[in-house]
Amino acid sequence: MRYLGINATFHDPAAALVVNGRVVAAAEEERFSRRKHGKRPVPFSAWELPEQSMRWVLAEAGITAEDLDGVAYSFDPEIAVDIPDDPYDHLRLDYVRRAPGFIAEALPGLDPSKVTYVQHHIAHAASSGLAGPYRTGAVLVSDGRGEGHSHLAGEYVDGELTILARQELPDSLGLVYESLTDHLGFLRSSDEFKVMALASYGTPRFVDELREYVHATGDGGFTGRAPEWERFAPRRIDDGTWGGAHADLAASVQCVVEETLVDLARWLREQTGQRVLTMAGGTALNCVANSRIWREAGFDDVWVQPASGDSGTALGAALTLAQRAGDLAAPEPTAALGRSWDDDELAQWLTTAQVSFTTPGSREDLAAEVAGILEQNGVIAWFDGRSEFGPRALGFRSLLANPMHAENLERLNDVKGREQFRPVAPMVLEDRAAEIFSGGPIPSPYMLFTHEVAPEWRDRIPTVTHVDGSARIQTVSDRDNPGIAALLRAFDERTGVPVVVNTSLNTAGRPMVDDPRDALELFGSAPVAALVLGPHLVRRAEFFA
């Protein structure tokens, strides 16, 4: 059976396709439209569908809209509550109610009656509980808002979901964090990760006061209301400076949100007795909080959906329909669900662009050449395999650099046009990770947890060691990314360091590179030493010859 999942109501519109119980493709609309987050989460944009990603996932599977057995839309307008401070929210709900017709217009041949609404948080839950490696386990969802809630706690048993608790709006950890993001001069529903990074530079001196507004209530729910932020720090203008009371406020809010999430996870552990926790929702992208949950909540394992934001609800909605039909295959967790091109197609792109390139004889030969460039402190644009579904670059669309030079953090942030307090992350060979990193799960293939860097390694890999001594690691093996694994081994042979810097292949304000044209445009405009396009290597000097 064939099920298309769609997220479109708020931000990060996306599409996913499940065929015979297997996830065959998933992509965010921003990768096609080149518009960051696809659209802004305002009522007037709710009619905008992920049309390009919808069409692509169908084409990837070689099917048409008429072949679909169902379409899952990850928001149910019939249970949505009014948002009292948004006089236009009724427009959002009106657009969502009309979505079956809009989808049928975008996909000719589709019967609108095949469209089913799946509750937003159930779609989030399914994106972790059904797409992850565990079909039995506790599930925790937290984000800004769904139809009338901001949180779901429950458990899956053999793929069947039981809901144990929900938190009604307006209490919301995600909306508190969004509100602070705006107060600190960043773009809400977009830049919350900047607040998490800024928190490391502050002291949580406002925690006692903030606990009045943000805390668990002991029954599976919580209080989550934004205070008057001016009480703690004046509104920040994003002028490139940071620190002081603003960093302290970020640290304080980060702390109370972590505490609340840990308490919610502990409650869920006590209620279910489950040994495994799966997580999704925008708040699950807070890797510092995830690590505290892993250490303190009492679960043996914590698995977080790589596309935990709203884009992941497209995946979860499609899987929900498959589960209801008894059509789930064995789970195959991966974030590599997007577009790819074969070696000859990539060569044709380079030939058409009149770009000189070489094709080393093997994966190991390519890895050796790239490791040599990294050893000489060159930055690499790496484009290989299927693009990532979700916000993290995982070695398919990445900028890579040498982690051994402290100045490379500033250098990379300059290349990308980012604030200098923003960290970059390390990739590390999975079988070497425990030598260097602790305090979080290993393996950690999706860059969703923070780990402590061993003291003896902090001076050896200063680029990826955050100001607080932590790092948001990605472990790599031949199982999940043989090209990057070969590169890490080659770099280790040259330097004794099985780590390279990994940051997303994009510049500030732009979505991650997705197709070869995007890669060539970035390479032509950014100071990187070489471009890897599948098995092909382009050196900068030859590119501009």
Side-chain angles (χ1 to χ4, degrees):
M1 302 186 77
R2 305 173 182 93
Y3 296 105
L4 173 67
I6 296 171
N7 171 61
T9 305
F10 297 111
H11 48 79
D12 296 305
L17 188 68
V18 174
V19 177
N20 297 329
R22 286 185 57 248
V23 181
V24 299
E28 291 144 308
E29 188 71 4
E30 68 165 25
R31 306 297 178 86
F32 299 84
S33 69
R34 310 309 299 158
R35 181 182 177 191
K36 189 73 171 173
H37 295 296
K39 61 182 180 180
R40 293 297 297 150
V42 296
F44 302 98
S45 72
W47 65 271
E48 295 183 48
L49 294 168
E51 295 190 17
Q52 295 182 78
S53 51
M54 286 159 46
R55 295 181 186 123
W56 173 75
V57 297
L58 295 180
E60 179 71 3
I63 66 174
T64 68
E66 293 176 280
D67 298 323
L68 291 169
D69 295 289
V71 177
Y73 187 98
S74 63
F75 189 91
D76 186 349
E78 299 313 310
I79 63 169
V81 300
D82 292 331
I83 304 301
D85 59 350
D86 187 346
Y88 300 106
D89 192 60
H90 67 281
L91 290 177
R92 187 194 322 268
L93 298 181
D94 186 48
Y95 291 143
V96 173
R97 291 187 181 101
R98 296 171 185 264
F102 293 156
I103 297 168
E105 287 183 18
L107 299 176
L110 176 71
D111 181 351
S113 68
K114 290 184 177 180
V115 178
T116 298
Y117 295 109
V118 175
Q119 292 181 30
H120 187 73
H121 287 118
I122 288 177
H124 267 311
S127 76
S128 60
L130 299 181
Y134 303 107
R135 293 277 167 80
T136 293
V139 61
L140 186 68
V141 172
S142 178
D143 65 0
R145 60 165 291 198
E147 294 88 352
H149 301 87
S150 67
H151 161 72
L152 178 152
E155 67 176 329
Y156 277 98
V157 176
D158 295 328
E160 292 281 350
L161 174 65
T162 299
I163 299 172
L164 301 176
R166 290 186 175 191
Q167 179 55 57
E168 293 185 355
L169 294 168
D171 292 283
S172 168
L173 298 179
L175 292 182
V176 168
Y177 220 89
E178 281 187 20
S179 175
L180 177 64
T181 300
D182 176 70
H183 184 73
L184 293 179
F186 305 123
L187 182 63
R188 68 187 304 156
S189 296
S190 173
D191 292 348
E192 283 71 24
F193 58 92
K194 296 182 182 181
V195 177
M196 184 177 67
L198 183 61
S200 299
Y201 290 84
T203 300
R205 58 189 173 96
F206 304 122
V207 162
D208 289 342
E209 294 171 81
L210 287 170
R211 285 186 181 124
E212 175 185 346
Y213 301 93
V214 180
H215 60 267
T217 52
D219 56 358
F222 59 87
T223 295
R225 307 283 180 102
E228 291 292 331
W229 299 117
E230 293 281 351
R231 289 176 46 193
F232 306 98
R235 185 176 182 84
R236 176 179 173 270
I237 298 172
D238 191 8
D239 58 0
T241 62
W242 70 89
H246 296 115
D248 292 347
L249 181 55
S252 302
V253 172
Q254 174 68 28
C255 183
V256 295
V257 168
E258 289 173 21
E259 291 176 349
T260 304
L261 287 168
V262 169
D263 286 345
L264 292 172
R266 284 174 173 160
W267 179 89
L268 187 54
R269 170 76 179 88
E270 292 168 359
Q271 295 297 309
T272 65
Q274 296 286 355
R275 304 305 302 174
V276 170
L277 174 68
T278 64
M279 295 172 58
T283 307
L285 293 171
N286 191 312
C287 55
V288 181
N290 293 347
S291 295
R292 282 198 62 181
I293 291 170
W294 181 84
R295 290 192 300 268
E296 301 175 25
F299 290 96
D300 292 343
D301 193 17
V302 177
W303 191 87
V304 182
Q305 165 57 239
S308 274
D310 275 7
S311 62
T313 64
L315 176 62
L319 285 168
T320 298
L321 292 195
Q323 187 274 333
R324 290 174 182 174
D327 193 38
L328 283 181
E332 301 175 14
T334 180
L337 294 168
R339 291 190 286 177
S340 67
W341 288 260
D342 66 32
D343 297 351
D344 291 340
E345 289 173 325
L346 293 172
Q348 186 58 52
W349 276 87
L350 293 166
T351 301
T352 300
Q354 299 182 0
V355 172
S356 298
F357 65 95
T358 60
T359 306
S362 68
R363 189 182 301 279
E364 287 68 28
D365 293 336
L366 174 64
E369 288 200 43
V370 174
I373 298 170
L374 289 172
E375 185 183 22
Q376 297 300 314
N377 212 23
V379 176
I380 306 294
W382 184 279
F383 181 110
D384 186 35
R386 297 187 74 171
S387 60
E388 301 90 340
F389 183 51
R392 304 279 194 253
L394 300 172
F396 304 102
R397 305 290 186 270
S398 290
L399 277 172
L400 309 178
N402 190 319
M404 301 165 64
H405 305 284
E407 65 273 13
N408 277 350
L409 174 59
E410 181 176 352
R411 178 187 178 195
L412 286 167
N413 280 329
D414 284 342
V415 167
K416 291 169 66 69
R418 309 192 320 177
E419 300 87 351
Q420 288 300 336
F421 62 80
R422 301 266 299 278
V424 291
M427 286 174 159
V428 58
L429 284 169
E430 183 181 302
D431 59 2
R432 299 286 304 281
E435 301 172 27
I436 306 170
F437 305 102
S438 63
I442 294 174
S444 183
Y446 302 123
M447 209 184 295
L448 287 165
F449 296 87
T450 55
H451 294 64
E452 290 297 312
V453 182
E456 64 271 22
W457 277 89
R458 293 179 184 180
D459 289 339
R460 296 185 68 184
I461 52 172
T463 311
V464 295
T465 302
H466 199 29
V467 65
D468 59 0
S470 71
R472 188 184 65 200
I473 78 169
Q474 179 196 353
T475 58
V476 179
S477 69
D478 287 307
R479 179 183 63 255
D480 46 44
N481 194 325
I484 290 292
L487 173 59
L488 286 165
R489 285 192 294 268
F491 189 71
D492 185 27
E493 289 171 5
R494 286 174 171 270
T495 65
V497 175
V499 175
V500 298
V501 179
N502 172 31
T503 187
S504 55
L505 188 56
N506 67 330
T507 52
R510 297 181 180 180
M512 214 183 307
V513 160
D514 196 72
D515 73 14
R517 185 188 306 278
D518 302 334
L520 286 165
E521 288 177 351
L522 183 144
F523 186 62
S525 62
V528 292
L531 166 66
V532 171
L533 206 63
H536 313 300
L537 179 63
V538 182
R539 294 178 182 267
R540 190 166 193 81
E542 296 165 2
F543 183 80
F544 286 104

